[in-house]
Amino acid sequence: MNVALGGTFDPIHDGHRALFERAFELGDVTVGLTSDDLAPRTRQEERHVRPFSARKRDLADELERFANEYGRDYEIRELTEPTGIAVEPEFDALVVSPETEAGAERVNEIRRERGYDPLRIEVVPRVEAEDDGVISSTRIVNGEIDEHGNVTPDAAPRE
C-alpha cells in the first residue's frame, strides 16, 4: 500500500509520531512537507516556522527510525498546495489528524473529479498532553509543553 501524509512538522512531537507509526503500519510512506511559502498559510496561529531544509532534515531522522522498524520505504516531497501529493493517482491511503480530516475529504473529491479511486482515510486520534490539552507544535513553540506533552516547569496553568 502507498500511504501519504502531510504537514509542517515543526517541531516534531508525539502526535506526529502517532501519525507516522500508523502510516508505516499500512505501507510505504510518502510525506508531503510544506514549503516555506505554504507553511505559514497552513497555521491556525501565526508563529515562526523553521526553514524547509531544517524541517526536512529532522523529519528524515524521525522517518528513518519508523522505516527501519517496519521494513518500509519512505520519501519526503515538498508540498506547495494544501491538497498536496495525495491527489496523485499512486496513493492508496491518507493518514490524517482529526483537525485535517475535512481536507482529506476534499482530496477525495478532487481524486473523483480526476477519475481516480478515493483514498482510504485513516484518522489518527489526537495525542493529549499531561494537562489534558492536545499536543501541538504551537504549544511547544509557546513553551507550554515539550514534544512528549509534559508541561514545562515555567508554563502558565491551563484554564
Side-chain angles (χ1 to χ4, degrees):
M1 184 174 286
N2 290 315
V3 183
L5 69 130
T8 300
F9 306 113
D10 184 44
I12 295 171
H13 54 69
D14 286 354
H16 295 138
R17 292 180 185 106
L19 295 171
F20 303 154
E21 182 164 31
R22 183 63 186 133
F24 281 103
E25 286 172 352
L26 294 171
D28 293 329
V29 176
T30 302
V31 178
L33 182 62
T34 56
S35 67
D36 288 335
D37 288 337
L38 181 60
R41 298 189 330 223
T42 63
R43 307 280 31 98
Q44 294 176 3
E45 287 184 38
E46 190 172 323
R47 66 169 174 82
H48 173 75
V49 175
R50 293 179 310 135
F52 179 86
S53 59
R55 292 182 288 122
K56 183 177 181 182
R57 180 191 63 238
D58 290 351
L59 179 59
D61 289 345
E62 288 286 335
L63 296 178
E64 188 67 31
R65 287 187 310 107
F66 286 100
N68 289 337
E69 180 180 344
Y70 287 92
R72 307 282 193 184
D73 292 326
Y74 75 91
E75 179 182 8
I76 300 171
R77 292 180 44 200
E78 186 173 23
L79 287 184
T80 57
E81 295 296 325
T83 53
I85 59 174
V87 296
E88 297 173 9
E90 67 267 21
F91 295 105
D92 305 301
L94 180 60
V95 174
V96 297
S97 66
E99 293 84 1
T100 57
E101 186 175 7
E105 296 298 341
R106 176 67 186 129
V107 164
N108 272 342
E109 288 174 22
I110 293 169
R111 289 177 65 87
R112 284 185 198 95
E113 290 167 6
R114 294 181 180 179
Y116 306 147
D117 290 335
L119 296 173
R120 172 179 166 180
I121 297 172
E122 290 283 321
V123 181
V124 176
R126 293 175 183 95
V127 176
E128 291 189 355
E130 72 177 350
D131 63 0
D132 297 326
V134 68
I135 296 177
S136 73
S137 295
T138 299
R139 290 191 68 203
I140 295 166
V141 169
N142 289 343
E144 298 173 37
I145 58 173
D146 68 15
E147 68 182 277
H148 305 295
N150 301 306
V151 174
T152 55
D154 298 329
R158 283 181 58 89
E159 295 184 20

